[in-house]
Amino acid sequence: MFKLNNFDPGRHRNKVAAGQGGAGQVKLRSEVDMAETWDLTTIYQDTAAWENEFAAVAKEIPLLQDYQHKLHTSAAVLSEFFRLGESIGERVAKLYVYAHLKSDEDTGNSDFNGLHLRAIQLLTQFEAAISWAEPEITQIPEEKLIIFLSEDPGISARRHYLENILRKKPHQLSASEEILLAKAGEIFNNPSMSFTVLNDSDFRFPMIINEAGEEVELTHGRYGKFLESRDRRVRREAFQNLYQVYDQFQNTSASLLSGNINVHNFVAEVRNFPSARAAALFENAISEDVYDNLVTTVNRNLPLLHRYIALRKQALGLEELHSYDLYVSLIEGIDVKYGFEEAQEIIVAALSPLGPEYVEIVRRAFRERWIDRADNKGKRSGAYSSGAHGTNPYILLNWQGTLDNLFTLAHELGHSVHSWYSRNTQPFIYSSYSIFLAEIASTMNENLLTDYLLSQTDDDKLRQTVINNYLDGFKGTVFRQTQFAEFEHLIYTAAAAGTPLTSAFLTEQYGEMNKRYYGEDLTFDPEIGLEWSRIPHFYLNYYVYQYATGFSAATSFAHMVKTEGQPAVDRYLQFLKAGSSDYPLSVLKKAGLDMSEVKPIEDAFAVFTSYLEQMEQLLLP
């Protein structure tokens, strides 16, 4: 009800790197143009205002415990507790969002890191202060809850929430045990927080020589750009130098990841779940069959990935294809660049099939500075959309004007518009959509952008580039994320069985899985075995599989919009507005999509096959 999932800690686009920088030293945050940054004054005018609100909320949190042992007494008391809890919860969420966004601007800024840590502490205090509530509600006799529902509109508006509490009853602990777990939240988050600091702030990568012969600093943000270089030496050096650093810290990384997994395995056991995966999927009423169906279906279609790897090897004219050759464009002689204003107009036009209201929200994102696109020293790597009920849905990325940047921007705008609709349609309690639904809206935008770009050009090379981008996006979203999901489940299961998650074990298992996924046409680089050590999504507890399911669902929605028109748009917008007012699979069924079946995944592979065939005809003799 009031927990972390009532706001977005960050919806990510998991690519090699979502931000890329140019030559020379990276700018300090103080040196970037304000127009390239987000406007956080719509949350708090400054840190002084944040401090005042922090102090006020800290004083109010203890008031929640005054309701303990009283929720059963009357509908009025229960309703009053809901209103107070949600009011304080919304304020805590805003404090957290502001602090984490400021910290992500420059992870080396100790002042903003301090705000972030204090916000986490406040969040932990808040969750501890209400952790007794759900167990207490489950003790209210069902017949009495039915009476409460009929007596008070505030309670009847929370019917789905109450039903969901009763569904979770077999896995809830006593009030004192729930308080104990909630108070341990900060400790439980330590492996993830430590990885973020290590990865984004403490790692120092060497200088490399770029295509122009200039010595430039290797960063997370620039790594993706270097892997796209047509100069193979640059790609190889970036790859090898990056993994030299991760190799030096592989034991620390293994310890952090192991600690994170042990936390989730422990909590699952305490709550009487058969596994951490069962616990993670239960939260949103997702059957484990959905996960298994995805992994099985993708493995069945691995020959398509092998076929694409063979195409890539032949098109690039390489005797050996290496991991650092997987991201360079197959199309030579074209360097697609977009100014930020040009990108705005392209995206607006591409998303126009979703209607004028949707487009106006997108325009607001640009006009009101929801987007932080600066590439500055210490900025968090990757890209995400984040916010809370009562804030704008902010976007972090590092803009360099590439085609991938264009797709990343469209992707994150999908998250942000989804968040805007859910928060402006639903009350606080239902205002955040589940992670299972999160990647659908973002990938839907990427599908529409692909269709638009292909429809607007007769330039064969640009068409090939867009198709290349789709194939690489599919590779990265469906194949790669499912590989992550399969590896994640493997190491969770191994840890639960007592296998130590040493760096040697993790590297060996990941390397063997990478060989199976990419096939014999990819020459194995030992460094790639260490890729597990640099994936932040492994700290999000069974998150990554939803990129692949979301991509599949988005493919289906895009097809509906193209073939049905307005009726499909109306259903899609209702999906965006649903928030967490129903279970994710039910929300999708109401919109005309059944994700409990494998058909949407197979349909996505049919689209991939179609584009792969087109590319083979265009590039192979």
Side-chain angles (χ1 to χ4, degrees), residues 545-586:
Y545 84 98
Q546 294 159 121
Y547 282 106
T549 56
F551 191 104
S552 303
T555 301
S556 295
F557 275 130
H559 178 72
M560 291 178 195
V561 168
K562 283 186 286 187
T563 57
E564 298 179 35
Q566 193 60 46
V569 171
D570 292 341
R571 293 197 306 272
Y572 180 70
L573 295 183
Q574 286 305 308
F575 150 69
L576 296 181
K577 296 174 181 178
S580 57
S581 60
D582 203 346
Y583 301 117
L585 293 179
S586 298

Side-chain angles (χ1 to χ4, degrees), residues 324-359:
Y324 48 79
D325 299 317
L326 292 179
Y327 300 93
V328 60
S329 175
L330 298 178
I331 316 305
E332 290 191 67
I334 182 170
D335 184 18
V336 185
K337 289 287 185 180
Y338 301 93
F340 196 70
E341 291 71 22
E342 179 188 10
Q344 173 181 346
E345 295 310 313
I346 289 172
I347 288 174
V348 164
L351 302 182
S352 62
L354 297 179
E357 182 182 67
Y358 189 101
V359 167

Side-chain angles (χ1 to χ4, degrees), residues 42-58:
T42 60
I43 310 178
Y44 301 107
Q45 185 61 40
D46 49 32
T47 54
W50 185 93
E51 291 286 2
N52 290 335
E53 175 68 351
F54 184 95
V57 172

Side-chain angles (χ1 to χ4, degrees), residues 347-422:
I347 288 174
V348 164
L351 302 182
S352 62
L354 297 179
E357 182 182 67
Y358 189 101
V359 167
E360 174 55 23
I361 299 168
V362 171
R363 288 195 180 279
R364 284 186 60 188
F366 291 100
R367 187 169 63 242
E368 298 175 9
R369 285 176 52 210
W370 297 0
I371 303 165
D372 195 285
R373 56 189 170 97
D375 181 16
N376 59 262
K377 190 175 184 64
K379 186 174 178 180
R380 176 171 171 162
S381 61
Y384 64 65
S385 169
S386 182
H389 197 269
T391 79
N392 289 326
Y394 291 97
I395 293 171
L396 177 143
L397 53 81
N398 297 270
W399 180 259
Q400 296 297 321
T402 65
L403 184 66
D404 181 68
N405 282 175
L406 183 68
F407 275 89
T408 297
L409 180 56
H411 179 103
E412 300 305 340
L413 282 165
H415 286 313
S416 287
V417 177
H418 190 183
S419 297
W420 190 93
Y421 270 121
S422 62

Side-chain angles (χ1 to χ4, degrees), residues 96-108:
Y96 177 87
V97 166
Y98 181 86
H100 105 75
L101 294 180
K102 293 299 291 184
S103 176
D104 287 351
E105 291 177 359
D106 181 358
T107 59

Side-chain angles (χ1 to χ4, degrees), residues 130-365:
I130 52 88
S131 58
W132 53 268
E134 290 193 2
E136 185 167 315
I137 290 171
T138 62
Q139 299 305 311
I140 301 175
E142 191 170 341
E143 58 272 16
K144 196 168 190 177
L145 275 178
I146 293 173
I147 294 173
F148 284 179
L149 286 166
S150 64
E151 288 181 343
D152 193 301
I155 296 178
S156 62
R158 296 165 175 82
R159 179 182 295 272
H160 173 66
Y161 163 71
L162 292 170
E163 290 174 347
N164 201 28
I165 285 184
L166 297 178
R167 183 179 69 88
K168 297 176 181 178
K169 187 174 181 178
H171 303 288
Q172 286 180 330
L173 308 178
S174 68
S176 60
E177 290 170 328
E178 290 289 349
I179 291 172
L180 187 63
L181 278 183
K183 286 184 175 180
E186 186 177 350
I187 300 170
F188 289 166
N189 285 330
N190 184 260
S192 176
M193 290 289 297
S194 297
F195 169 79
T196 298
V197 173
L198 180 70
N199 194 50
D200 290 340
S201 184
D202 288 349
F203 278 174
R204 292 292 181 268
F205 298 103
M207 306 291 282
I208 71 168
I209 306 300
N210 68 7
E211 301 97 321
E214 302 165 321
E215 189 177 46
V216 295
E217 182 181 359
L218 177 62
T219 66
H220 289 295
R222 290 172 171 170
Y223 179 62
K225 180 65 174 175
F226 291 139
L227 286 196
E228 294 173 358
S229 172
R230 301 222 64 86
D231 186 333
R232 201 176 190 213
R233 176 196 57 79
V234 172
R235 303 199 300 267
R236 181 174 61 251
E237 288 185 11
F239 177 82
Q240 292 175 344
N241 281 309
L242 184 92
Y243 280 106
Q244 281 178 8
V245 175
Y246 281 97
D247 181 67
Q248 294 171 22
F249 294 92
Q250 61 176 287
N251 294 316
T252 299
S253 298
S255 178
L256 292 174
L257 183 56
S258 177
N260 182 73
I261 288 172
N262 288 338
V263 164
H264 293 296
N265 278 338
F266 167 75
V267 173
E269 182 180 357
V270 166
R271 292 196 179 280
N272 300 310
F273 285 100
S275 68
R277 186 179 76 168
L281 272 61
F282 179 85
E283 182 67 26
N284 290 310
I286 305 295
S287 167
E288 289 189 84
D289 289 342
V290 173
Y291 198 106
D292 290 331
N293 285 342
L294 171 68
V295 173
T296 300
T297 305
V298 170
N299 272 267
R300 187 166 58 245
N301 284 278
L302 283 181
L304 285 172
L305 179 56
H306 301 165
R307 183 172 151 190
Y308 174 64
I309 294 300
L311 167 64
R312 174 166 280 276
K313 180 179 180 181
Q314 189 170 352
L316 292 175
L318 298 173
E319 291 185 7
E320 288 188 353
L321 186 78
H322 288 261
S323 293
Y324 48 79
D325 299 317
L326 292 179
Y327 300 93
V328 60
S329 175
L330 298 178
I331 316 305
E332 290 191 67
I334 182 170
D335 184 18
V336 185
K337 289 287 185 180
Y338 301 93
F340 196 70
E341 291 71 22
E342 179 188 10
Q344 173 181 346
E345 295 310 313
I346 289 172
I347 288 174
V348 164
L351 302 182
S352 62
L354 297 179
E357 182 182 67
Y358 189 101
V359 167
E360 174 55 23
I361 299 168
V362 171
R363 288 195 180 279
R364 284 186 60 188

Side-chain angles (χ1 to χ4, degrees), residues 461-479:
K461 285 207 169 185
L462 181 56
R463 290 182 60 82
Q464 292 168 10
T465 301
V466 172
I467 295 173
N468 186 165
N469 183 79
Y470 177 87
L471 293 173
D472 280 347
F474 193 102
K475 169 176 65 68
T477 306
V478 178
F479 287 115

